[in-house]
Amino acid sequence: MKSCKLRDGGVTCDAPRGYRVQCSAPMWGILCRQPGEQQVLVEDRCAAITLAAKSRTDPGAVIEVVHVATGEVVFSKPPVHALSRGTAHA
């Protein structure tokens, strides 16, 4: 992950930049570089949110996108429950 190279009054900011897509369970999907990862670093916010939105994980797990520099959660994909996966029960 790259660092911010902005200068503020001659001082260089060495804070990390980018976004972390994270999950407590392994993630997989068409956009995942390596299925089964639990954390992926992405420089672009839109790309990170798209990766999270298109990824899947185990029922009950939440996928989040976190801004690395601030720790702010900028996107959260709610958990899918086992019964809501299209399984019909009588």
Side-chain angles (χ1 to χ4, degrees):
M1 188 62 38
K2 296 181 180 179
S3 295
C4 174
K5 295 301 180 191
L6 296 176
R7 292 191 173 270
D8 183 19
V11 178
T12 301
C13 170
D14 288 324
R17 67 178 186 182
Y19 298 85
R20 181 176 59 249
V21 181
Q22 63 186 26
C23 185
S24 58
M27 296 180 290
W28 65 90
I30 194 164
L31 299 177
C32 290
R33 293 178 286 209
Q34 294 181 332
E37 290 182 305
Q38 290 182 261
Q39 178 174 294
V40 179
L41 295 174
V42 181
E43 230 176 282
D44 182 74
R45 179 182 175 133
C46 291
I49 291 172
T50 301
L51 173 65
K54 295 290 185 179
S55 295
R56 295 178 159 243
T57 189
D58 293 336
V62 176
I63 300 174
E64 296 179 323
V65 176
V66 179
H67 185 241
V68 174
T70 64
E72 175 187 7
V73 176
V74 296
F75 176 83
S76 181
K77 184 175 180 178
V80 175
H81 300 288
L83 295 179
S84 66
R85 296 180 105 187
T87 306
H89 294 287

